[in-house]
Amino acid sequence: MRALTILAICASLPGRLAAQSAVPADVLADWERNRSTVLAYIDAVPDSAMGYRPTPGVRTLAEQFEHIVSTNLEVAAVALKGQQAPPSLGVKADYLRSNSALHRFAEATYDYVLEALRSATPAQLQHPVAMYGQPPQPAARLMTLSLEHAVWTLGQVVPYLRLNGVKPPEYKMPF
């Protein structure tokens, strides 16, 4: 019986080891929370406000969300996965007009980012990558900056919503 138990434990180790991520659990939780927050904000936007821009020359409300999630997608694809460019996960003409299409696009980008983070090896996280005209930095640092950028840009969305009579979703503290 003892031998069978040890054999069962040993047989399950590869799956358990593969399930562990080199990315700390709190970092993954931060990305999951950002995903939930961005999707809640998108869901709060009526289709009639998708093309709204408070002043000429700034992004529309839909473009602000696209900017958030496309940047995350690009950093994950290039910095973590070593791709030349991010994958195409939606039709721009659709997701800039339709709330539901934008939600699907944003959800797909976060699925990609979270999978890239969960499957990243320590070597991938430490690999230096040059992006956006900046000197090479470890991929993990670029992902941290991408999350910071997402939060910064989401803060810019608040007045867009308020100017359209939409109350922004409540912030959910992680503790």
Side-chain angles (χ1 to χ4, degrees), residues 141-154:
R141 172 82 173 133
L142 292 169
M143 290 305 299
T144 298
L145 293 173
S146 190
L147 181 61
E148 179 182 314
H149 168 266
V151 172
W152 166 264
T153 306
L154 191 61

Side-chain angles (χ1 to χ4, degrees), residues 106-128:
E107 197 166 46
T109 65
Y110 277 103
D111 287 346
Y112 184 94
V113 168
L114 286 161
E115 184 280 323
L117 284 166
R118 287 186 184 107
S119 65
T121 65
Q124 287 172 308
L125 293 168
Q126 290 307 312
H127 179 72

Side-chain angles (χ1 to χ4, degrees), residues 25-154:
D26 61 336
V27 172
L28 291 171
D30 288 344
W31 276 98
E32 287 281 1
R33 191 175 65 259
N34 184 257
R35 170 198 179 111
S36 296
T37 302
V38 169
L39 292 175
Y41 270 63
I42 289 171
D43 291 345
V45 177
D47 279 341
S48 62
M50 295 291 285
Y52 174 76
R53 67 179 88 235
T55 62
V58 300
R59 291 182 190 100
T60 66
L61 185 51
E63 289 168 341
Q64 285 285 60
F65 288 112
E66 177 197 33
H67 182 65
I68 290 169
V69 300
S70 293
T71 300
N72 294 341
L73 179 66
E74 183 174 24
V75 173
V78 174
L80 283 180
K81 293 199 168 261
Q83 304 295 315
Q84 293 297 314
S88 176
L89 298 178
V91 178
K92 190 172 188 170
D94 293 341
Y95 65 70
L96 290 181
R97 286 192 329 255
S98 162
N99 178 292
S100 60
L102 181 61
H103 182 103
R104 284 190 304 277
F105 174 66
E107 197 166 46
T109 65
Y110 277 103
D111 287 346
Y112 184 94
V113 168
L114 286 161
E115 184 280 323
L117 284 166
R118 287 186 184 107
S119 65
T121 65
Q124 287 172 308
L125 293 168
Q126 290 307 312
H127 179 72
V129 178
M131 292 186 77
Y132 306 121
Q134 300 299 310
Q137 299 178 59
R141 172 82 173 133
L142 292 169
M143 290 305 299
T144 298
L145 293 173
S146 190
L147 181 61
E148 179 182 314
H149 168 266
V151 172
W152 166 264
T153 306
L154 191 61

